[in-house]
């Protein structure tokens, strides 16, 4: 039987690190919905289109080929854009900005919904994103919503960016503004805003070690799996 565990939250809350480790513990595939939107943001940026023009963005996405795939590990997901594995290009500040702008468009979200909902149908998932538990997988086995202090979120995001792009010159102040802007867009968009599912388990990821938080989440999922057995 296929099971889905969702992990939602705002930028820098630690969703990705927690989701990856939880998926590894469970033997599930880790799927981040962000790679779908980021691939589209990258596409719009490369084609020099206006991310605020919903019709133009939608037509561009429809003309492209988007395909989810597994990395060599067999548990981590990636995405092919017109046959090219673009994962390594997805996390620059520029792509993040384009992504946040296109993700607010209702028709774009509707267009990309099936690709997310049908991701890796033959495998159980830890699905990470902003609306995994509220929209894409409302019937998930367990739903988590990750929170963290703003200062912690900024430091994590900066460390993540510098790890993937060592020559990045972004400052903590600039990143703080970027996060606030993205939070505002994500929380206020008319379709699929970032919010906690009513039946979600809230996890505070501000201070405890990663392995401690993952262990808490793992035990919650295991309890649910035993109830289903």
């Amino acid at each position: 039987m296929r099971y889905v565990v969702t992990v939602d939250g705002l930028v820098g809350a630690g969703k990705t690190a927690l989701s990856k480790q939880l998926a590894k513990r469970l033997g599930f595939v880790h799927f981040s919905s962000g790679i779908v939107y980021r691939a589209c943001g990258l596409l719009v940026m490369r084609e020099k289109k206006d991310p605020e023009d919903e019709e133009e963005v939608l037509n561009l996405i429809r003309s492209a080929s988007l395909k989810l795939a597994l990395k060599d590990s067999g548990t981590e997901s990636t995405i092919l854009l017109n046959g090219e594995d673009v994962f390594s290009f997805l996390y620059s500040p520029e792509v993040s900005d384009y992504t946040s702008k296109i993700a607010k468009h209702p028709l774009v979200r509707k267009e990309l919904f099936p690709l997310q909902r049908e991701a890796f149908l033959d495998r159980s998932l830890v699905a990470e994103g902003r609306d995994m538990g509220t929209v894409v997988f409302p019937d998930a086995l367990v739903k988590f919503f990750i929170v963290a202090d703003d200062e912690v979120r900024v430091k994590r995001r900066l460390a993540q960016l510098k790890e993937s792009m060592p020559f990045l010159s972004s400052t903590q102040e600039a990143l703080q503004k970027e996060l606030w802007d993205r939070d505002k867009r994500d929380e206020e968009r008319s379709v699929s805003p970032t919010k906690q599912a009513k039946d979600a388990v809230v996890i505070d990821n501000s201070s405890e070690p990663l392995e401690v938080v993952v262990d808490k989440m793992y035990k919650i999922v295991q309890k649910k799996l035993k109830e289903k057995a």
Side-chain angles (χ1 to χ4, degrees):
M1 181 179 290
R2 182 186 193 236
Y3 295 108
V4 177
V5 174
T6 61
V7 182
D8 291 310
L10 295 173
V11 179
K15 301 186 303 294
T16 299
L18 292 173
S19 298
K20 285 183 176 180
Q21 290 302 313
L22 180 60
K24 188 175 181 180
R25 287 276 303 270
L26 292 168
F28 289 8
V29 167
H30 169 245
F31 165 60
S32 170
S33 67
I35 65 174
V36 175
Y37 289 100
R38 285 177 177 276
C40 293
L42 176 66
L43 174 66
V44 173
M45 186 180 78
R46 283 179 170 180
E47 296 296 324
K48 297 180 171 58
K49 301 298 184 181
D50 180 4
E52 302 286 357
D53 187 329
E54 182 174 23
E55 184 176 357
E56 188 171 53
V57 170
L58 186 62
N59 289 335
L60 185 60
I61 291 172
R62 285 175 172 169
S63 70
S65 169
L66 292 168
K67 183 179 180 181
L68 293 169
L70 289 176
K71 295 183 180 180
D72 292 341
S73 65
T75 58
E76 285 294 328
S77 55
T78 187
I79 190 163
L80 307 181
L81 172 61
N82 295 326
E84 175 192 1
D85 187 337
V86 294
F87 189 87
S88 62
F89 301 104
L90 300 183
Y91 290 91
S92 71
E94 293 80 12
V95 172
S96 294
D97 186 55
Y98 270 81
T99 300
S100 187
K101 288 175 180 175
I102 69 164
K104 70 182 181 181
H105 297 312
L107 294 179
V108 169
R109 299 194 74 85
K110 183 178 180 180
E111 181 73 17
L112 297 176
F113 176 84
L115 182 61
Q116 299 170 75
R117 177 70 183 178
E118 297 168 12
F120 310 108
L121 284 173
D122 59 338
R123 300 286 298 274
S124 290
L125 299 180
V126 172
E128 167 208 346
R130 309 295 180 85
D131 61 355
M132 294 292 96
T134 53
V135 176
V136 182
F137 298 107
D139 51 351
L141 176 72
V142 179
K143 302 173 187 177
F144 292 108
F145 192 83
I146 313 301
V147 299
D149 295 338
D150 283 351
E151 184 177 352
V152 173
R153 291 173 57 211
V154 171
K155 288 181 178 178
R156 280 191 186 135
R157 180 62 175 155
L158 190 59
Q160 181 187 43
L161 289 173
K162 287 187 174 180
E163 181 180 355
S164 59
M165 291 170 288
F167 302 106
L168 183 71
S169 60
S170 182
T171 65
Q172 189 162 323
E173 291 76 15
L175 194 56
Q176 176 78 71
K177 184 179 185 305
E178 177 199 328
L179 290 184
W180 282 342
D181 288 346
R182 288 185 63 188
D183 286 353
K184 184 177 176 62
R185 284 197 292 262
D186 291 342
E187 291 175 330
E188 294 181 356
R189 63 180 176 235
S190 59
V191 177
S192 302
T194 300
K195 64 179 181 179
Q196 176 188 330
K198 291 181 180 179
D199 54 346
V201 179
V202 178
I203 300 290
D204 190 330
N205 192 32
S206 298
S207 58
E208 290 187 305
L210 176 68
E211 59 272 17
V212 173
V213 181
V214 171
D215 194 55
K216 286 181 181 179
M217 297 169 72
Y218 176 77
K219 288 176 179 176
I220 291 170
V221 176
Q222 283 295 331
K223 182 179 178 182
K224 280 290 186 180
L225 287 171
K226 288 179 181 178
E227 291 173 0
K228 288 284 185 179

